Amino acid sequence: MKNRWYKDAVVYQIYPRSFCDSNGDGIGDIKGITSKIEYLKDLGINAVWLNPVYKSPNKDNGYDISDYRDIMDEFGTLDDFKEMLEKFHKNGIKVIMDLVVNHTSDQHKWFQESKKSKDNPYRDYYIWRKGRGKDGKKPPNNWTSRFMGPAWEYDEASGEFYMHLFAKGQPDLNWNNPKVRQEVADICNYWFDMGVDGFRCDVLTYISKPDDLPDGKFNLGLIGDEHFTIGPNYHKYIKELNEKSWSKYDSFIVAEAIGTGLKDAVALTDENNKELDSLFHFDLANVDAILQFIPKKVDLVKFKKIINDRQNLPATTWNSNYYENHDQPRSLPRLADGGDLMEAGKMLAVSLLMIKGTPFIYQGEELGMTNCAFKKEEMIDVMATQIMGMFHKISPLLDNWAYKVMLKRARDHARTPMQWNGRENGGFTTGKPWMVVNPNYTEINAEKEQSDENSLLNFYKKVIHFKLGNEIAINGNYIEYLKKNKNLFVFERRLENKSLFVICNFKNKDIKFTLPEEINYKNCELKISNNKDAGKLESCVLKPYETRIYELEY
Ligand code: GLC
Ligand code: CA
């Protein structure tokens, strides 16, 4: 079968607010993105995913949408968007948008109508329920918001509560209403008809809630998940959406499969089910923490097992691989071990791009951008402020503790502006940036790395160039070696009598590599390495963070 296009894609994730500001208001925008298409083309990627650019009051940076068919004022106009789309396409780059349809903004006209009265035609677009207790002022059930606190907000006017699994400015849509499902299909078709190539579906696994909304069990500080993660009608609704919209276009649909595990992956993405093309799992997100918040060293054997399990799913599924996104702290030094982080970045790039699936690179990852040493008031994301605020309410004595915890996990780390050069604000804006720029922009920036042939950025270019169009990198079977080795990640991608053999030293020290006995190749060619002196494939001592890709013939 011919490959679908996304199987030979390297996707670059753009967080528009922090990418490039074209007009000096301190906020990244569409024209800013357009001005950097040359950079992206030079990097070699062939698809981008844009975090939400729709109209939004920005309670959750665009994940609260007030108009699905128009662009956020701060980002520009629909014409700016069309111009950007055309320019991306001219340069051979596909464009994937964010589809946020578990909830809308409370400013969306559907919600504004819905709030007006119980018999408004839009009432049933959202999930309204009577409260409990004598006065009806206790929430309808015990579910919690993902940002902490109850998942319900009381509305004085109608005396009922509405559900919000995220912030209270993000009311959940009622997917049990067929009109809502039709609206979603129409929104997808609207953007497809404009030329958009796919969607990354935000918290899609939460869309279906049982009508009776039973109380949930307490689970890692949150309540209710077991009722709304892949809820009762999830598959039915997604099949319907696939039929009414996605399957009509040559699109790529990847869902944020929040709350799901390995076992769910086949049901969610098997191509025979005609639902999603792929998903993002969270199994690697917490490998450096206990219960999200207590830091610990990465156990490489466990890390490799997570990857191996996913790589060995049936061939009718397709992986989407990432280390970073806008919700996670930066991967350096999270997944590295101190020392020369740029070399660690090269090794991570090889591991991410050479396993099977579509790799996603998050803006700045190709430069080795790091977490930021924020002051408390510099963390402005709704998750950080809500969690710190909640602990403050319990007791101001907890302030410092909550600050330290957020300093580890805050989503703000990924959202500091892109570091383009060593001039003011890292070249992101000529104005006052909407959030703090990481002061290490003087050291870590695109301009500096462009001119250094050994930089992480230039290494990324090599690996991306090597991967795209490479039949073995796309379709080769994944075979893992030295599974129990605590320092090395070694795997092969095999297609008939050829293969790519990949070695990654995850440690900041020399590590002995022993060639597995079963590797008896006829020919071997070193394709990529961050060690100039790397020789042919044989037992050897690898340098700190050394990585190699060989092409073998058997
Ligand atoms: C997803 C997004 C996150 C957002 C949330 C609510 O997890 O990635 O940024 O806050 O959904 O829409
Ligand atoms: Ca701007």
Side-chain angles (χ1 to χ4, degrees), residues 107-222:
Q107 303 304 308
H108 194 290
K109 80 166 192 295
W110 301 336
F111 191 73
Q112 296 292 310
E113 286 297 316
S114 182
K115 251 179 87 165
K116 280 185 182 158
S117 70
K118 287 185 190 158
D119 49 18
N120 188 287
Y122 288 94
R123 185 71 172 179
D124 207 25
Y125 268 47
Y126 295 86
I127 304 171
W128 291 95
R129 288 292 189 280
K130 283 201 182 62
R132 294 197 284 199
K134 271 201 200 101
D135 56 358
K137 296 246 169 114
K138 252 186 80 196
N141 71 17
N142 67 354
W143 298 3
T144 54
S145 148
R146 310 299 90 182
F147 295 146
M148 302 268 177
W152 295 95
E153 183 70 12
Y154 186 66
D155 170 50
E156 286 289 344
S158 63
E160 290 189 341
F161 286 82
Y162 69 85
M163 183 192 293
H164 60 91
L165 290 182
F166 291 87
K168 65 177 186 217
Q170 295 170 296
D172 279 51
L173 280 166
N174 174 19
W175 278 64
N176 294 337
N177 180 348
K179 285 194 197 140
V180 167
R181 302 196 310 263
Q182 187 60 48
E183 299 272 11
V184 174
D186 292 347
I187 291 166
C188 293
N189 291 339
Y190 168 85
W191 291 101
F192 281 139
D193 290 338
M194 201 181 293
V196 161
D197 303 288
F199 288 104
R200 172 268 187 188
C201 308
D202 189 61
V203 294
L204 197 75
T205 39
Y206 285 177
I207 54 151
S208 168
K209 287 102 184 168
D211 266 326
D212 56 342
L213 303 177
D215 274 341
K217 287 199 285 276
F218 192 81
N219 174 27
L220 300 180
L222 297 172

Side-chain angles (χ1 to χ4, degrees), residues 59 361 378 462:
K59 299 259 170 60
I361 302 167
E378 287 171 343
K462 272 188 227 156

